[in-house]
């Protein structure tokens, strides 16, 4: 099926929407395009998001493969990702920094749709959902992988908070496994790994004359092979497009709905404590393979009801905002749900009862309703490391 229809244009590639190729939108890219005076040459496509496209590129000077992230022009004056990564690049020797996506270079690129921030980042391997889908059929990660990933996420989050930074979008999709072999591969080796680039011509009739701002073709995103978790490499926390400092907090939080804390759902004041709630949800999912709350047809109201049923009463400051029928309790507590998912399996559970109690306790301390009562990422890391060194 065509992926989009813009003023009469069509393309059979399921990729970024053609409608976003306009003034303020995506920069049109062709395979082989050169950036920064010829230093970076595009060789494949890695993916796309609402505010960027991401490409595998060859650094002709450093003789290695990198990820080239080209942000939309409309975010040129408002994007915080470059600022956040630059702050991180000034403290790369501090504990936890090794689990943060590394900014290798950054520059401005002017194109037919405006000016774009271009970020050069490490080229990484699979994210957690891809590993789960392809290696474990959507189940949970093996014990030794899950416990190590959780420790590294908490360590990385602690590092960010010490820099007075908030990630703003912590979830399993933003946790990738490192892939040093991809960076070191020759161009031919990388193309064998990613597969040959497939393109789909943009065709049809425009209501207006064709402009340079619309690409000649779209490229199918490559398939990065799933990391072999039996010889696991460390993780990297990626995607800082929603990150913020104290003075640059966005007006809205775009974290997936089921990971948003109650202060966001209730449109109350919020800060970097949102990361702690999301970390608790992420730990739950890394252990069980499922998020703690039901995401089917979720709304702010239904999520708040689930939270009340599984965690407890809201603080007095919020109780008048959420009417609750105490007679309708039909869900498990968060601890009961955690234990059910860990132990109700058709194979020997990977965690002991006392370990699951400790894991549930830590999740509960991160997912306290009152943001100021949540334990810090550093304290969560110390607790986790004491149980799973």
């Amino acid at each position: 099926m065509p992926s989009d229809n813009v003023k009469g244009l069509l393309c059979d590639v399921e990729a970024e929407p053609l409608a976003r190729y306009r003034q303020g939108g995506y920069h049109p890219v062709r395979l082989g395009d050169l950036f920064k005076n010829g230093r970076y040459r595009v060789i494949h496509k890695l993916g796309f998001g609402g505010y960027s496209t991401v490409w595998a590129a060859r650094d002709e000077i450093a003789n290695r493969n990198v990820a080239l992230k080209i942000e939309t022009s409309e975010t040129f004056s408002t994007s915080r990702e470059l600022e956040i990564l630059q702050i991180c690049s000034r403290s790369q020797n501090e504990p936890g920094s090794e689990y943060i996506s590394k900014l290798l270079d950054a520059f401005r690129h002017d194109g037919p749709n405006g000016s774009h921030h271009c970020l050069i980042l490490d080229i990484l391997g699979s994210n957690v959902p891809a590993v789960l889908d392809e290696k474990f059929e959507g189940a949970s990660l093996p014990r030794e992988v899950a416990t190590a990933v959780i420790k590294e996420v908490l360590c990385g989050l602690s590092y960010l908070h010490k820099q007075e930074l908030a990630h703003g979008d912590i979830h399993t999709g933003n946790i990738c496994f490192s892939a040093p072999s991809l960076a070191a591969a020759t161009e031919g080796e990388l193309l064998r790994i990613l597969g040959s680039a497939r393109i789909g011509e943009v065709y049809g009739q425009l209501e207006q004359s064709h402009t340079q701002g619309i690409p000649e073709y779209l490229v199918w995103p490559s398939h990065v092979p799933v990391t072999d978790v039996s010889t696991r490499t460390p993780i990297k926390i990626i995607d800082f497009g929603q990150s913020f400092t104290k003075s640059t907090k966005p007006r809205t939080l775009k974290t997936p709905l089921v990971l948003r804390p109650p202060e966001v759902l209730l449109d109350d004041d919020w800060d970097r404590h949102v990361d702690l709630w999301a970390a608790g949800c992420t730990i739950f999912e890394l252990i069980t393979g499922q998020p703690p709350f039901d995401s089917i047809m979720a709304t702010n109201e239904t999520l708040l009801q689930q939270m009340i049923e599984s965690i407890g009463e809201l603080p007095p400051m919020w109780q008048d905002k959420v009417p609750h029928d105490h007679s309708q309790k039909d869900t498990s507590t968060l601890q009961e749900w955690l234990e059910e998912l860990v132990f109700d399996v058709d194979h020997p559970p990977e965690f002991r009862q006392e370990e699951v109690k400790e894991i549930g306790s830590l999740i509960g301390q991160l997912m306290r309703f009152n943001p100021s009562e949540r334990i810090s990422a550093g304290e969560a890391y110390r607790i986790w490391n004491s149980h799973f060194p």
Side-chain angles (χ1 to χ4, degrees):
M1 293 293 293
S3 61
D4 210 338
N5 184 335
V6 181
K7 298 179 181 177
L9 285 183
L10 300 167
C11 183
D12 294 324
V13 172
E14 296 290 343
E16 69 274 12
L18 278 170
R20 299 285 284 140
Y21 283 101
R22 53 168 173 73
Q23 281 295 312
Y26 296 127
H27 175 66
V29 176
R30 295 171 300 179
L31 298 171
D33 277 355
L34 301 174
F35 289 82
K36 199 177 183 182
N37 300 317
R39 175 167 184 174
Y40 302 107
R41 177 168 49 84
V42 173
I43 58 178
H44 212 317
K45 186 178 190 175
L46 295 175
F48 63 91
Y51 298 96
S52 65
T53 55
V54 186
W55 304 82
R58 187 72 180 174
D59 183 341
E60 303 286 15
I61 293 179
N63 196 31
R64 63 178 172 182
N65 304 311
V66 295
L68 165 62
K69 184 172 187 177
I70 308 174
E71 298 184 347
T72 56
S73 177
E74 65 194 358
T75 63
F76 188 81
S77 60
T78 60
S79 173
R80 295 173 296 274
E81 185 161 16
L82 176 57
E83 175 194 1
I84 298 295
L85 291 175
Q86 286 175 330
I87 293 172
C88 292
S89 68
R90 296 196 288 267
S91 53
Q92 290 184 3
N93 294 325
E94 295 188 21
S97 62
E98 66 269 32
Y99 304 123
I100 304 301
S101 178
K102 185 179 180 181
L103 180 68
L104 304 174
D105 194 5
F107 54 92
R108 168 179 173 162
H109 184 81
D110 294 324
N113 291 330
S115 297
H116 307 261
H117 285 304
C118 295
L119 312 181
I120 300 297
L121 306 163
D122 286 321
I123 188 167
L124 299 174
S126 315
N127 63 15
V128 169
V131 172
L132 286 174
D133 287 344
E134 295 196 25
K135 288 280 188 180
F136 306 104
E137 298 182 349
S140 57
L141 293 172
R143 172 195 170 98
E144 69 277 7
V145 178
T147 55
V149 169
I150 290 168
K151 181 163 67 173
E152 291 164 2
V153 168
L154 291 173
C155 188
L157 195 56
S158 176
Y159 160 78
L160 287 175
H161 287 187
K162 285 179 182 177
Q163 314 306 313
E164 298 191 336
L165 304 174
H167 185 276
D169 199 17
I170 291 290
H171 58 80
T172 56
N174 283 337
I175 302 170
C176 283
F177 292 94
S178 299
S181 61
L182 292 181
T186 66
E187 181 176 341
E189 290 170 341
L190 183 65
L191 287 174
R192 282 193 291 273
I193 294 170
L194 299 181
S196 299
R198 298 166 55 203
I199 65 173
E201 299 290 337
V202 174
Y203 61 94
Q205 296 294 320
L206 278 171
E207 293 177 3
Q208 301 175 5
S209 61
H210 195 285
T211 69
Q212 289 183 321
I214 299 173
E216 299 173 15
Y217 54 79
L218 296 183
V219 182
W220 290 85
S222 59
H223 176 73
V224 179
V226 167
T227 306
D228 183 0
V229 297
S230 64
T231 55
R232 200 189 65 83
T233 53
I235 60 95
K236 296 280 188 180
I237 297 172
I238 67 165
D239 195 351
F240 289 79
Q242 301 301 314
S243 301
F244 57 92
T245 65
K246 283 184 177 180
S247 60
T248 62
K249 189 181 80 170
R251 297 180 65 179
T252 58
L253 194 69
K254 296 181 180 178
T255 306
L257 182 62
V258 293
L259 302 180
R260 295 179 193 177
E263 64 266 30
V264 173
L265 298 179
L266 291 165
D267 199 25
D268 204 342
D269 190 34
W270 50 273
D271 55 20
R272 69 172 183 249
H273 288 83
V274 298
D275 282 347
L276 302 173
W277 180 277
C281 295
T282 300
I283 292 172
F284 190 103
E285 186 171 351
L286 287 168
I287 293 296
T288 67
Q290 297 187 41
F293 304 116
D294 186 1
S295 61
I296 299 176
M297 304 295 290
T299 64
N300 285 17
E301 292 73 20
T302 59
L303 280 175
L304 285 164
Q305 291 295 340
Q306 288 185 64
M307 291 175 185
I308 292 169
E309 299 289 5
S310 58
I311 296 176
E313 293 293 337
L314 291 172
M317 59 186 178
W318 291 334
Q319 286 184 3
D320 61 343
K321 295 184 178 182
V322 184
H324 178 52
D325 185 351
H326 294 271
S327 67
Q328 297 298 314
K329 188 179 190 313
D330 58 0
T331 58
S332 304
T333 66
L334 211 57
Q335 181 67 43
E336 290 169 344
W337 180 225
L338 176 69
E339 293 181 12
E340 180 180 340
L341 291 172
V342 171
F343 295 118
D344 188 16
V345 290
D346 57 4
H347 56 79
E350 296 198 75
F351 293 91
R352 301 189 304 274
Q353 183 75 41
E354 58 269 26
E355 290 177 324
V356 178
K357 293 289 186 186
E358 296 292 349
I359 292 170
S361 173
L362 177 62
I363 292 172
Q365 292 178 81
L366 287 165
M367 296 178 67
R368 288 171 175 157
F369 282 138
N370 192 327
S372 64
E373 295 179 359
R374 295 170 197 159
I375 61 170
S376 69
E379 180 60 22
Y381 169 75
R382 287 189 288 274
I383 292 172
W384 189 265
N385 198 39
S386 69
H387 295 298
F388 303 100

